[in-house]
Amino acid sequence: MSFLARFLPLIRQLSDYGRDELRGDVSAGLTVGVMLIPQGMAYALIAGLPPIYGLYASLVPLATYSLFGTSRQLAVGPVAMVSLLVAAAVGPLANGQPELYIGLALLLSLMVGVLQFGLGVARFGFLVNFLSHPVLSGFTSAAALIIGLSQLKHLLGIDLPRSNHIHEILWAAAGRIGQVDPLTVVLGGGSILLLVGLRRLSPSIPGALVAVATTTGLVWAFGLHEHGVDIVGSVPGGLPAPSLPPLGGETLWALAPSALAIGLVGFMESIAVAKVYAGRHRYEIDANQELIGLGLANIAGAFFSAYPTTGGFSRTAVNDEAGAKTTLAGLIAAGVIALALFLLTPLFYYLPQAVLAAIIMVAVSGLIEWREAVHLWTVDRKDLGLMVLTFVATLSLGIEEGILTGVIVSLVVVIYQSSTPHTAVMGRLPGTDTYRNLNRNPEALTRSDVVVVRMDANLYFATASSFQDLVRRVDTQDPSLRAVVVDMYPVNRIDSTGVGALKKVIDTCRRHGVEISLAGVKGPVKDRLDEAGVTDWLGRDRFFFEVSGAVEAAEADVAPTNSAPEGTVPDTRA
């Protein structure tokens, strides 16, 4: 692999490129480009930006990711979730100043890009694993409600204060119900019905574009903007000029938590959908290269008036359905956006804000994951509790606070589960040399003089106490007990604390005249025990490949007068 192909995955994708691939990429690029025009403008409203910035965010980031990303179907651009996070981060700092608001949004894009790029270069893609699926589902569902209700002002034609708390939005809307504009409601409600109907008729129909064209035509033909319908108005044409986002120490510090949240949430959303389509088309996704690709997309976009972007679920589905074979489809889609900026911006003048709100509401309605809640109720109610906690925290505390709560609780759960691993006292299945958990296999045979135990985890500082507790369950003061066999096969790693815990267990057993043997010790663990002197102290003859071998050796060591037939184990070890 050449140096250039290593850093530009598109070159590798084009190595066996043919006419069929080109046909699919052109079809997908044109389709996604057309879809991005109304969708990007709508998502810019969620971010609190003028609609044109949605098109800017659909141009340079998409083209950049197409060069550096490894997902052949992922369509990068503005998405509802990240747009909401941008609004939540920038709004309190802008103090109602539009120019400052825009500048902070572009700076946030730069910060998110640098963070993602740095994590990718450092190969820290695994960090996203700490954002569990229940947390993401709870956050996504709550954010979808906030996003949808934030568009009520455009759908009803009334002025509502910006808020990330749905009860405040609903209360304000109820207080202004008499100011609702009927024409705006008709346009918005009609657009929702049209979008839902076209989606059910055929997902390949660009419903958003049809709704935009239809309502814009109605506003222009009947002069509805003169009768209370809010329109987009003048939209600057041409490509965005390169510019430097405003930099400032205090601003950087204030935006840092939001940049971290957007960087991780954006990557999580992107990598999740990328893996789905990579599995479907049987190719590999490089998580670290994805971070680099998304990071460079956001960095480049920040210098060309783009706010933070990531891969979107709906656009990627359309991209795949339209035939995308490589990321060349993304370059073609970016070309469509560029042409729209050059030629079509005058047509957006009569575009009603209500149709953009309708596009957003229909798009985010699918993000409320009630089916996931039903599934977790059946499969894992602890995860359901985590999902509900994040959902409630996001609605009551705020966007960033909600996801932070979910992440913190997830880490607490991970730590708790790591420090309380599954343990078992084992018995031999009749007629075999296989040893299994007595609780799950009550028919397993045991001896009163030889006990077999197992801990299903690595032996390190977090599990050392659980390991010692497991052996304490074996009454080493029982006069009938002569040997303990520890099944070490599940242990892949042991640290100094684990070595210390093992020494204490060996010492405790020896003080009570009980021999201890280790079975199934893996090479790296054995190396650490050799280095710590445990192997020589315990005795090299106390290490066995299989549990059955260790038990047979222990039985041979037990004096005939102390031997006991296989049958039951004392209650203290059951």
Side-chain angles (χ1 to χ4, degrees):
M1 185 186 302
S2 69
F3 177 83
L4 192 58
R6 179 182 175 186
F7 292 99
L8 293 175
L10 178 59
I11 295 178
R12 300 199 299 271
Q13 296 172 26
L14 297 178
S15 60
D16 55 352
Y17 202 70
R19 183 173 299 176
D20 290 341
E21 286 79 11
L22 178 61
R23 186 181 299 113
D25 283 343
V26 170
S27 172
L30 293 175
T31 303
V32 171
V34 168
M35 178 184 183
L36 264 171
I37 295 171
Q39 194 180 68
M41 297 175 73
Y43 288 157
L45 290 183
I46 301 175
L49 295 164
I52 191 64
Y53 283 86
L55 296 184
Y56 294 158
S58 305
L59 180 60
V60 173
L62 177 56
T64 305
Y65 175 83
S66 298
L67 295 174
F68 296 97
T70 59
S71 174
R72 304 184 180 196
Q73 283 74 38
L74 189 68
V76 170
V79 299
M81 205 63 55
V82 170
S83 298
L84 179 63
L85 287 169
V86 169
V90 173
L93 302 177
N95 298 320
Q97 303 176 50
E99 291 299 323
L100 178 59
Y101 192 104
I102 294 171
L104 292 176
L106 304 187
L107 175 59
L108 190 57
S109 180
L110 178 62
M111 294 174 66
V112 169
V114 170
L115 172 68
Q116 290 177 329
F117 180 79
L119 291 175
V121 170
R123 308 193 69 78
F124 274 16
F126 69 89
L127 284 177
V128 76
N129 295 331
F130 290 102
L131 196 60
S132 69
H133 184 69
V135 167
L136 195 64
S137 295
F139 170 73
T140 300
S141 300
L145 286 176
I146 296 171
I147 291 169
L149 290 176
S150 72
Q151 298 306 303
L152 269 183
K153 62 180 182 180
H154 298 301
L155 202 66
L156 302 178
I158 56 179
D159 185 30
L160 295 176
R162 175 179 293 276
S163 175
N164 289 326
H165 298 95
I166 60 174
H167 64 279
E168 294 178 358
I169 298 173
L170 292 173
W171 183 258
R176 294 171 172 80
I177 196 69
Q179 303 172 17
V180 170
D181 182 69
L183 284 176
T184 300
V185 173
V186 170
L187 279 176
S191 297
I192 290 175
L193 294 176
L194 180 61
L195 289 165
V196 173
L198 290 177
R199 177 187 290 179
R200 291 183 177 178
L201 180 64
S202 174
S204 61
I205 298 176
L209 190 66
V210 172
V212 164
T214 302
T215 55
T216 301
L218 289 173
V219 172
W220 172 77
F222 296 100
L224 300 182
H225 60 294
E226 298 176 355
H227 299 279
V229 174
D230 289 333
I231 59 175
V232 170
S234 298
V235 175
L239 299 178
S243 60
L244 181 67
L247 301 175
E250 292 184 6
T251 305
L252 289 171
W253 183 255
L255 289 175
S258 300
L260 178 62
I262 292 172
L264 293 180
V265 171
F267 176 61
M268 184 73 174
E269 182 174 347
S270 180
I271 197 69
V273 68
K275 284 182 176 180
V276 168
Y277 289 96
R280 186 174 298 177
H281 293 279
R282 299 181 180 179
Y283 64 88
E284 295 297 322
I285 289 291
D286 184 340
N288 293 306
Q289 183 62 36
E290 283 297 288
L291 272 170
I292 291 173
L294 290 171
L296 290 174
N298 280 309
I299 291 172
F303 293 99
F304 290 91
S305 301
Y307 71 94
T309 58
T310 192
F313 287 97
S314 59
R315 284 195 303 273
T316 301
V318 171
N319 198 33
D320 178 63
E321 190 174 322
K325 304 299 181 184
T326 71
T327 53
L328 183 62
L331 291 175
I332 296 171
V336 172
I337 299 298
L339 286 176
L341 287 168
F342 271 120
L343 305 176
L344 302 182
T345 51
L347 301 180
F348 299 143
Y349 182 88
Y350 294 101
L351 175 62
Q353 300 273 13
V355 72
L356 296 179
I359 292 171
I360 292 169
M361 285 189 161
V362 172
V364 301
S365 63
L367 297 178
I368 301 175
E369 301 191 37
W370 60 270
R371 288 188 180 88
E372 179 68 11
V374 174
H375 172 70
L376 291 177
W377 174 264
T378 305
V379 175
D380 192 334
R381 295 187 182 179
K382 290 181 180 177
D383 276 354
L384 176 62
L386 195 57
M387 178 182 177
V388 171
L389 174 66
T390 308
F391 178 83
V392 173
T394 303
L395 289 182
S396 59
L397 302 178
I399 301 298
E400 295 173 4
E401 293 83 356
I403 195 168
L404 180 62
T405 299
V407 170
I408 291 174
V409 174
S410 292
L411 291 175
V412 171
V413 170
V414 168
I415 294 170
Y416 174 77
Q417 291 177 341
S418 297
S419 61
T420 55
H422 175 263
T423 59
V425 176
M426 304 169 70
R428 184 175 64 83
L429 297 181
T432 72
D433 289 331
T434 302
Y435 285 76
R436 289 290 184 267
N437 186 351
L438 283 176
N439 289 335
R440 291 182 174 273
N441 302 274
E443 75 281 5
L445 303 175
T446 61
R447 297 175 61 96
S448 61
D449 52 358
V450 180
V451 175
V452 182
V453 296
R454 185 190 73 209
M455 182 178 75
D456 298 326
N458 292 324
L459 184 50
Y460 67 115
F461 67 90
T463 59
S465 178
S466 294
F467 177 72
Q468 292 176 270
D469 290 342
L470 170 63
V471 180
R472 288 194 192 103
R473 289 170 56 192
V474 178
D475 186 3
T476 54
Q477 299 185 49
D478 184 346
S480 66
L481 181 64
R482 287 289 178 258
V484 173
V485 176
V486 180
D487 182 3
M488 295 284 287
Y489 186 77
V491 180
N492 297 312
R493 183 175 63 85
I494 186 170
D495 67 0
S496 60
T497 306
V499 170
L502 181 58
K503 285 182 176 180
K504 290 178 181 178
V505 166
I506 295 172
D507 184 62
T508 299
C509 288
R510 283 181 169 175
R511 281 191 286 106
H512 294 97
V514 177
E515 288 295 338
I516 185 167
S517 300
L518 305 181
V521 180
K522 294 179 179 177
V525 176
K526 181 65 162 52
D527 293 341
R528 182 61 62 87
L529 296 180
D530 290 345
E531 294 167 359
V534 175
T535 302
D536 293 330
W537 182 51
L538 177 61
R540 294 183 181 275
D541 60 339
R542 293 297 171 185
F543 288 80
F544 299 87
F545 289 110
E546 302 291 342
V547 171
S548 57
V551 172
E552 289 173 3
E555 290 172 349
D557 291 340
V558 174
T561 57
N562 293 329
S563 63
E566 289 184 323
T568 60
V569 68
D571 289 342
T572 55
R573 300 190 297 275

